[in-house]
Amino acid sequence: MADGYLEKRQLDYEARKEAYLRKKTHKPPVKRKLQRPDDEAL
């Protein structure tokens, strides 16, 4: 009984991990540029 439970939990974990990694790799990296004023003294 315990073996079946553990196997199912492991398979569920591996499926979620694979989906997460697949989703993570297809997104472009976020590039943020700071908007600085033309005159730094302001």
Side-chain angles (χ1 to χ4, degrees), residues 1-40:
M1 181 174 144
D3 290 334
Y5 174 78
L6 293 176
E7 283 183 27
K8 179 163 178 24
R9 297 295 285 182
Q10 182 68 22
L11 291 175
D12 289 344
Y13 165 76
E14 289 174 0
R16 282 186 281 123
K17 180 180 176 184
E18 186 177 338
Y20 165 76
L21 291 175
R22 191 178 325 117
K23 183 179 178 182
K24 179 180 150 185
T25 58
H26 288 297
K27 288 189 176 180
V30 177
K31 295 182 180 178
R32 295 183 179 149
K33 294 184 178 180
L34 296 175
Q35 296 179 353
R36 296 179 183 233
D38 294 333
D39 186 7
E40 292 281 333

